[in-house]
């Protein structure tokens, strides 16, 4: 077609061919399937698990998985040193993991985002205060801080959750703060201001929806982290009482008998890996799906 | 970095440290568990308990304790460990070299592995090689160091026993070290069998620490390399007849290293923090391992001392990274 | 008639299927300064990139030849072409700001190709670098060798790039709008410098530019390009004094001239541009996918 004014960009190097955007992000799909499966397992644990996770049967202790020699068909993955069915324990441990994941991640997100939004939007003293706080916070090795907190607060799920929230809120605060500062500079905020709208109102209406996709993405990553932290804390013996199964607790037990029953260590690890991968994929997929011009 | 900027950074250190100290201090004092109660032999009298408490200054108000501790800190006295009954500073200094060597080894692995992956991914850009590298990176980065450590124990310690899974060195080996820097010493004095043993013990924990960082380095470096490769100066080098490999390594890499260091610097502190757990699961005798015991035993002076040590390490690392960036980027230097 | 140092013969280049060079032919004799004129998007840089092997991945040479001293450049193997690029063919790039590696000293950037590809010793290479820096009128050559690019002005950087281009004693230099990114006062100096070195080192020069005025100053022969088609070609004096094609005349009318200072400048008329594009489109229709 003849075009009088423009001309083909022959001299300019053409941009690198962009990957075609998929209408359905595969990572998101896989991630959600994994997370969904976990939710189902956790919710229907009593129906799915073949045995009571706390039930001990010392006659059948340290059994290998059912397909190996010496295994029993009733105990699919075998039993631990107290004769408890590993499969059932893994299933019930999912409940602990997911509870911690959702509650802790949501709380950390809420608190961190609130502080980050305030710091980013109001600037000045608020920003200084929050930033100093974040700096001090980040001078702690996170694992150590979590352990200290859990030890301080005593055993129990709530202390685990509090520990995770207290340690990881900075992740949200930093990112949300910088995003808010970017959004604040954009025109729509300035125009809202000139219309005489008050600060918090602008914050809620204008900045938040734009920062929300980022928060959601971080949220799913945080859930994966929460599961790992919970596992760490129960590994160190600071989570729920040792009787109720947690993946971390099973890892601790498995570590002790790793030469005799390696699957006792390997299976809970696999569970955690799958869960973390699932949440990470979800987060990754969300990031691509919600933000087509995603900045890496 | 310009001298004034450096000075300003250094001046910010004490306030941050003080902040850390205060937070730790207060947190620990809000403790439900009573450290003294944990270590008393059964049958001790009430006076004994009180005396012990007074000895450790735990009978006074938090504020008084805080000031007392600060006073001691200034003179370099970190107090005495409640559970181990030794001077905290001595304890920490005794175990610190082990952790430092582990961290150094892990860093080397992370940089080499990450750099290698990034270069391969960049060289095979938009071909199968890059997808493979992306897949590897995605998988590695999803698994935290704690799990990698456990996986290694399982796979290389138990299922295919290749490496030792605990301790710093085989207790059967006769060693005679002057310092706690076993690795450095054995290297310098040429005791290569001992060196081999040390490295064998350190390989899995260091690798576990290094993997998450290496994945992130690989990811950031790979995309930085892509940017650098498309820059004009890289095109110029190609026009002058340099091979793609040469352009990638000699022109692009020095430029790509700059944003990589900046962006991955923070991750490095996570590597250091990870020593707490990794040392634990590998029974490696560093300060991380000691920290976990200290927390379980509610050993307040020791916990405080270790946390402070970590904080100092983190700050030192951040500073080192800034200096490194200045070294890599001549535009930041001021004469 | 000696073999032209550069032969472009009925070259057709497409980018993503769209023709960018539509049957372009030109010849550059050894030691000749050949101007390649056209507006943005005419395809002039593409020719240079085709010679240097710097065409983007999406570009395809759909027809024709590019030959250096009689040897086919396009079909040449990687290693062979690289060898040519290290010595015989050089580039003076457009943007001095980005063409130098920001983290390396000037000295290293000049000397490395000399020691690595030409086998010069460090001292020989350094001596050559210093002498060339002197030729491009840099006042403190030793100091400049130690500097980083960001410490030099745009004009100085372009001089360095010119020195680099001549440092491998090439027989052909592609100068891709080397004065466009500089301010007017500096342009003239740089132009004089290029011409000066070109004569002294006896290198052929393919001078890509959109400015006919620049061409008039230093070129022996000129090719006028529009939409990837050669509209006019000939000796510089001929084309400038007695342009045949309406487009060339229009270009001249748009160029400020030293000897006619009060003249009103006129842009290229819209109808002329439109009809030229129509011609390009009909060429495309006759040559689907760039086939000959």
């Amino acid at each position: 077609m003849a075009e009088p004014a423009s001309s083909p960009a022959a001299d300019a190097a053409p941009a690198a061919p962009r990957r075609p955007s998929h209408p359905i992000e595969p990572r998101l799909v896989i991630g959600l399937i994994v997370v969904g499966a976990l939710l189902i397992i956790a919710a229907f644990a009593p129906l799915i698990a073949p045995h009571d996770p706390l039930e001990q049967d010392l006659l059948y202790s340290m059994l290998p998985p059912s397909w190996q020699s010496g295994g029993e068909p009733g105990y699919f993955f075998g039993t631990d040193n107290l004769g408890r069915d590993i499969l059932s324990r893994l299933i019930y441990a999912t409940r602990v993991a997911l509870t911690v994941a959702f509650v802790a991640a949501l709380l950390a997100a809420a608190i961190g985002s609130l502080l980050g939004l305030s710091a980013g939007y109001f600037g000045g003293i608020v920003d200084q205060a929050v930033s100093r706080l974040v700096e001090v916070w980040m001078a702690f090795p996170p694992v150590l801080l979590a352990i200290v907190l859990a030890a301080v607060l005593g055993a129990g799920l709530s202390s685990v959750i509090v520990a995770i929230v207290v340690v990881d809120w900075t992740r949200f605060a930093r990112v949300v703060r910088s995003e808010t500062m970017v959004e604040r500079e954009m025109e729509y905020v300035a125009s809202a201001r000139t219309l005489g709208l008050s600060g918090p109102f602008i914050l809620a209406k204008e900045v938040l929806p734009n920062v929300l996709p980022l928060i959601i993405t971080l949220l799913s990553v945080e859930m994966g982290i929460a599961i790992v932290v919970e596992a760490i804390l129960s590994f160190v013996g600071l989570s729920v009482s040792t009787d109720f199964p947690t993946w971390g607790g099973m890892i601790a037990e498995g570590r002790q008998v790793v030469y005799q029953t390696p699957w006792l260590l390997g299976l809970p690890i696999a569970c955690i890996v799958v869960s973390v991968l699932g949440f990470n994929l979800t987060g990754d997929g969300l990031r691509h799906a919600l933000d087509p011009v995603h900045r890496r | 970095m310009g001298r004034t900027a450096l000075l300003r950074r250094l001046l910010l250190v004490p306030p941050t440290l003080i902040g850390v100290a205060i937070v730790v201090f207060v947190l620990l004092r809000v403790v439900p568990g009573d450290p003294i109660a944990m270590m008393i032999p059964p049958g001790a009298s009430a006076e004994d308990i009180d005396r012990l408490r007074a000895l450790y200054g735990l009978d006074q108000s938090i504020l008084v304790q805080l000031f007392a501790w600060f006073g001691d800190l200034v003179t370099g006295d970190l107090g005495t460990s409640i559970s181990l009954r030794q001077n905290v500073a001595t304890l920490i200094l005794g175990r610190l070299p082990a952790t430092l060597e582990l961290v150094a080894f892990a860093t080397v692995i992370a940089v080499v592995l990450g750099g290698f992956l990034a270069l391969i991914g960049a060289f095979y850009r938009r071909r199968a090689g890059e997808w493979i590298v992306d897949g590897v990176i995605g998988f590695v980065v999803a698994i935290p160091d704690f799990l990698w450590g456990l996986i290694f124990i399982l796979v290389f310690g138990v299922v295919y026993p290749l490496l030792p899974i605990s301790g710093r060195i085989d207790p059967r080996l006769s060693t005679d070290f002057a310092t706690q820097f076993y690795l450095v010493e054995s290297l310098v004095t040429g005791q290569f069998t001992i060196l081999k043993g040390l490295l064998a013990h350190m390989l899995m924990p260091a690798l576990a620490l290094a993997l998450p960082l290496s994945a992130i380095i690989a990811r950031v470096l790979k995309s930085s390399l892509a940017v650098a490769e498309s820059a004009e100066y890289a095109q110029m080098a190609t026009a002058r007849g340099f091979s793609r490999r040469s352009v990638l390594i000699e022109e692009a890499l020095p430029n790509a290293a700059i944003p990589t260091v900046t962006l991955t610097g923070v991750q490095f502190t996570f590597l250091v923090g990870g020593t707490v757990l990794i040392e634990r699961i590998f029974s490696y005798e560093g300060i991380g391992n000691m920290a976990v015991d200290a927390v379980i035993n509610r050993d307040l002076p020791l916990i405080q001392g270790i946390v402070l040590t970590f904080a100092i390490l983190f700050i030192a690392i951040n500073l080192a990274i800034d200096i490194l960036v200045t070294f890599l980027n001549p535009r930041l230097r001021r004469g | 008639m000696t073999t032209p140092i550069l032969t472009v013969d009925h070259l057709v280049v497409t980018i993503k299927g769209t023709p960018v060079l539509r049957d372009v032919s030109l010849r550059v004799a050894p030691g000749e300064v050949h101007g390649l004129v056209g507006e943005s998007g005419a395809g002039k840089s593409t020719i240079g990139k085709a010679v240097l092997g710097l065409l983007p991945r999406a570009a395809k040479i759909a027809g024709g030849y590019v030959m250096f001293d009689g040897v086919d450049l396009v079909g040449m193997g990687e290693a062979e072409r690289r060898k040519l690029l290290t010595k015989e063919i050089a580039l003076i790039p457009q943007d001095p700001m980005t063409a130098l590696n920001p983290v390396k000293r000037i000295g290293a950037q000049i000397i490395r190709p000399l020691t690595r590809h030409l086998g010069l010793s460090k001292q020989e290479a350094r001596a050559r670098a210093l002498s060339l820096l002197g030729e491009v009128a840099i006042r403190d050559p030793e100091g400049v060798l130690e500097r980083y690019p960001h410490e030099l002005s745009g004009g100085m950087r372009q001089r360095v790039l010119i020195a680099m281009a001549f440092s491998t004693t090439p027989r052909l230099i592609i100068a891709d709008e080397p004065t466009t990114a500089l301010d007017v006062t500096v342009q003239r100096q740089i132009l004089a410098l290029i011409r000066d070195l070109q004569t002294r080192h006896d290198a052929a020069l393919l001078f890509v530019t959109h400015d006919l005025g620049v061409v008039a100053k230093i070129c022996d022969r000129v090719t006028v390009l529009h939409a990837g088609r050669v509209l006019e070609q000939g000796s510089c004096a001929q084309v400038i004094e007695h342009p045949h094609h309406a487009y060339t005349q229009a270009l001249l009318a748009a160029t400020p001239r030293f000897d006619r200072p009060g003249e009103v400048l006129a842009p290229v008329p819209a109808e002329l541009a439109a009809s030229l594009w129509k011609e390009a489109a009909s060429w495309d229709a006759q040559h689907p996918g760039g086939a000959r």
Side-chain angles (χ1 to χ4, degrees):
Chain A
M1 274 295 129
E3 290 203 78
S6 63
S7 58
D11 283 310
R18 250 184 291 128
R19 277 171 57 195
S21 53
H22 300 274
I24 303 173
E25 179 65 47
R27 266 172 287 202
L28 187 55
V29 171
I30 300 178
L32 285 175
I33 290 178
V34 172
V35 175
L38 288 171
L39 280 167
I40 293 176
I41 293 176
F44 295 107
L47 297 174
I48 305 178
H51 295 264
D52 180 346
L54 303 177
E55 180 194 340
Q56 305 177 12
D57 192 344
L58 294 167
L59 286 175
Y60 288 112
S61 69
M62 307 283 261
L63 286 177
S66 56
W67 60 84
Q68 288 185 8
S69 67
E72 290 284 328
Y75 298 102
F76 188 69
F77 278 131
T79 58
D80 65 5
N81 59 324
L82 290 179
R84 298 175 292 195
D85 178 34
I86 294 180
L87 177 61
S88 307
R89 286 177 71 79
L90 285 175
I91 290 176
Y92 270 87
T94 314
R95 293 188 146 184
V96 178
L98 287 185
T99 310
V100 172
F102 279 92
V103 177
L106 281 167
L107 271 178
I111 296 179
S113 303
L114 197 62
L115 285 171
L117 272 171
S118 316
Y121 187 79
F122 293 115
I125 292 195
V126 177
D127 185 17
Q128 283 298 313
V130 173
S131 295
R132 293 299 132 250
L133 193 61
V134 168
E135 239 179 63
V136 168
W137 228 257
M138 295 198 68
F140 287 91
V143 170
L144 194 53
L145 186 56
I147 292 179
V148 168
L149 275 170
V152 160
L153 298 166
L157 262 188
S158 43
S159 28
V160 170
I161 292 177
V162 171
I164 296 174
V165 173
V166 171
V167 171
D168 240 6
W169 66 271
T170 56
R171 179 189 308 267
F172 287 91
R174 293 179 79 214
V175 176
V176 170
R177 172 180 168 274
S178 61
E179 281 301 308
T180 310
M181 290 175 103
V182 169
E183 300 284 346
R184 185 180 65 171
E185 297 308 313
M186 294 200 171
E187 285 182 26
Y188 61 86
V189 174
S191 51
R193 258 218 197 95
T194 56
L195 287 176
L197 301 169
S198 71
F201 182 76
I202 300 177
L203 207 62
K205 283 286 264 180
E206 307 284 354
V207 178
L208 197 54
N210 283 277
V211 173
L212 211 53
L214 185 62
I215 297 180
I216 293 180
T217 306
L218 278 179
L219 198 61
S220 44
V221 171
E222 183 66 31
M223 290 186 191
I225 295 174
I227 291 185
V228 174
V229 176
E230 191 283 319
I232 292 175
L233 288 174
S234 47
F235 174 77
V236 184
L238 291 170
S239 183
V240 294
S241 68
T242 47
D243 219 25
F244 196 85
T246 62
W247 290 332
M250 293 174 75
I251 288 178
E253 290 162 12
R255 172 82 176 83
Q256 307 293 84
V257 293
V258 68
Y259 284 110
Q260 300 94 307
T261 50
W263 54 89
L264 191 49
L265 179 61
L267 287 169
I269 293 179
C271 289
I272 299 180
V273 170
V274 169
S275 315
V276 171
L277 275 173
F279 280 112
N280 278 11
L281 281 173
T282 309
D284 235 9
L286 273 174
R287 181 170 54 150
H288 282 250
L290 291 178
D291 194 10
V293 189
H294 73 87
R295 341 161 181 101
R296 282 216 159 210
Chain B
M1 166 186 304
R3 239 167 301 174
T4 36
L6 190 62
L7 220 59
R8 222 180 306 142
R9 278 296 297 277
L10 282 175
L11 280 175
L12 278 178
V13 167
T16 317
L17 279 179
I18 291 177
V20 170
I22 294 180
V23 171
V24 167
F25 203 88
V26 172
L27 267 178
L28 291 174
R29 294 300 182 293
V30 184
V31 168
D34 186 0
I36 302 294
M38 287 188 67
M39 337 167 318
I40 317 181
S45 64
E47 297 95 54
D48 290 328
I49 299 178
D50 284 337
R51 220 176 331 121
L52 263 175
R53 200 168 283 140
L55 180 65
Y56 286 105
L58 291 168
D59 53 343
Q60 294 157 315
S61 72
I62 291 187
L63 226 54
V64 175
Q65 288 186 49
L66 189 64
F67 280 110
W69 191 50
F70 274 145
D72 287 335
L73 267 186
V74 171
T75 54
D77 177 16
L78 285 168
T80 313
S81 156
I82 297 179
S83 60
L84 299 172
R85 303 213 167 73
Q86 292 173 54
N87 182 272
V88 166
T90 320
L91 282 171
I92 292 179
L93 286 176
R95 297 261 215 155
L96 189 56
T99 304
L100 288 177
E101 286 186 340
L102 186 62
V103 166
F105 191 23
T107 309
V108 169
I109 295 179
V111 169
V112 168
L113 198 56
F116 184 66
L117 274 175
L119 281 169
I120 298 217
F123 196 76
Y124 290 106
R125 189 141 41 103
R126 294 203 204 103
R127 278 139 72 180
E130 191 191 12
W131 301 134
I132 296 177
V133 168
D134 279 342
V136 169
I137 292 178
F139 181 66
V140 170
V141 83
I143 302 179
D145 49 15
F146 161 64
L147 288 182
W148 278 119
L150 292 170
I151 293 174
F152 288 150
I153 287 182
L154 202 55
V155 174
F156 298 115
V158 177
V159 178
Y160 300 109
L162 288 171
L163 294 165
I165 63 174
S166 74
R168 238 184 134 182
I169 191 167
D170 190 342
R172 292 168 298 176
L173 281 177
S174 59
T175 60
D176 191 16
F177 288 114
T179 69
Q180 283 291 319
F181 285 99
Y182 293 177
L183 202 61
V184 176
E185 245 193 82
S186 59
L187 187 64
V188 165
T189 57
Q191 300 174 66
F192 289 120
T193 20
I194 294 186
L195 183 65
K196 243 179 54 170
L198 283 168
L199 286 174
H201 279 263
M202 284 169 75
L203 184 58
M204 287 201 291
L207 197 56
L209 282 174
L211 279 178
L213 181 60
S214 69
I216 293 182
I217 289 180
R219 185 183 275 175
V220 177
L221 185 58
K222 183 162 80 77
S223 72
S224 303
L225 279 172
V227 170
E229 245 198 317
S230 61
E232 276 302 307
Y233 57 83
Q235 302 271 335
M236 271 300 290
T238 312
R240 272 190 246 134
F242 285 99
S243 68
R244 173 130 195 260
R245 206 187 64 178
S246 167
V247 172
L248 202 54
I249 298 179
E250 291 169 349
E251 303 279 337
L253 187 57
N255 279 278
I258 299 171
T260 306
V261 171
T262 312
L263 290 172
T264 60
V266 168
Q267 289 299 126
F268 184 53
T269 54
F270 290 148
L271 186 152
V272 175
T275 56
V276 172
L277 269 184
I278 296 293
E279 288 184 6
R280 186 61 163 184
I281 65 181
F282 283 96
S283 309
Y284 185 86
E285 297 97 354
I287 58 175
N289 203 348
M290 195 163 69
V292 179
D293 282 322
V295 173
I296 292 178
N297 293 323
R298 307 284 198 280
D299 190 340
L300 306 185
L302 192 52
I303 298 175
Q304 282 159 200
I306 295 181
V307 170
L308 261 186
T309 309
F310 270 112
I312 294 176
L313 275 176
F314 281 18
I315 292 173
I317 289 170
N318 280 321
L319 212 57
I321 288 175
D322 279 338
I323 295 179
L324 181 60
V325 170
T326 318
F327 175 70
L328 289 172
N329 190 352
R331 285 167 289 194
L332 293 177
R333 299 181 209 162
R334 211 53 75 97
Chain C
M1 176 54 166
T2 41
T3 323
I5 197 77
L6 177 67
T7 311
V8 177
D9 193 34
H10 296 293
L11 186 61
V12 180
V13 174
T14 60
I15 294 188
K16 287 202 188 135
T18 313
V20 158
L21 290 180
R22 300 173 164 95
D23 195 358
V24 173
S25 299
L26 63 86
R27 274 165 186 58
V28 180
E32 166 188 312
V33 179
H34 193 113
L36 191 53
V37 196
E39 60 194 44
S40 305
K44 31 192 216 300
S45 283
T46 310
I47 296 178
K49 287 194 189 145
V51 172
L52 293 164
L54 284 181
L55 284 175
R57 199 183 285 243
K60 212 174 69 113
I61 298 189
Y65 296 98
V66 181
M67 293 193 280
F68 176 78
D69 204 14
V71 182
D72 178 25
L73 273 181
V74 174
M76 197 182 266
E78 259 307 305
E80 244 198 293
R81 167 187 285 140
R82 251 189 278 135
K83 244 190 113 207
L84 268 186
L85 289 175
T86 61
K87 190 170 180 345
E88 309 280 9
I89 309 179
L91 169 69
I92 300 178
Q94 178 172 347
D95 188 1
M97 309 290 273
T98 53
L100 289 167
N101 193 327
V103 301
K104 297 189 168 196
R105 291 184 211 267
I106 302 289
Q109 299 192 49
I110 303 184
I111 291 176
R112 196 161 70 97
L114 300 177
T115 53
R116 176 83 67 85
H117 296 148
L118 300 187
L120 296 182
S121 75
K122 277 228 189 97
Q123 296 93 303
E124 289 171 333
R126 192 183 152 86
R128 190 187 287 198
L130 286 171
S131 123
L132 275 164
L133 286 180
E135 282 187 58
V136 293
I138 283 184
R139 231 173 300 145
D140 176 24
E142 262 126 13
V144 165
L145 281 188
E146 296 305 312
R147 296 229 198 305
Y148 287 99
H150 68 275
E151 296 174 281
L152 304 177
S153 70
M156 280 187 86
R157 275 184 259 196
Q158 192 60 296
R159 290 167 202 259
V160 167
L161 286 164
I162 293 170
M164 275 205 252
F166 282 95
S167 68
T168 59
T169 60
R171 283 193 281 160
L172 169 66
I173 296 184
I174 316 271
D176 189 1
E177 307 220 41
T179 55
T180 307
L182 304 169
D183 14 280
V184 186
T185 46
V186 182
Q187 277 185 17
R188 279 190 15 187
Q189 300 170 2
I190 299 293
L191 222 51
L193 225 50
I194 294 179
R195 179 58 161 174
D196 183 33
L197 268 91
Q198 180 269 331
T199 320
R200 202 154 352 125
H201 293 262
D202 196 31
L205 194 64
L206 182 63
F207 200 105
V208 177
T209 178
H210 61 271
D211 190 348
L212 210 48
V214 162
V215 166
K217 287 200 186 74
I218 72 171
C219 296
D220 303 321
R221 293 174 59 77
V222 63
T223 298
V224 180
L225 212 62
H226 181 276
R229 294 160 60 228
V230 175
L231 298 183
E232 186 150 4
Q233 207 170 59
S235 84
C236 202
Q238 259 288 335
V239 173
I240 303 278
E241 293 304 317
H242 308 287
H244 279 171
H245 201 284
Y247 183 68
T248 319
Q249 295 162 1
L251 275 185
L252 278 168
T255 305
R257 289 189 59 154
F258 174 64
D259 53 348
R260 301 194 202 140
E263 196 177 67
V264 174
L265 302 176
V268 176
E271 314 87 54
L272 178 58
S275 74
L276 285 174
W277 278 107
K278 258 206 218 121
E279 288 176 25
S282 72
W283 186 96
D284 289 350
Q286 289 163 28
H287 304 89
R292 274 224 269 149

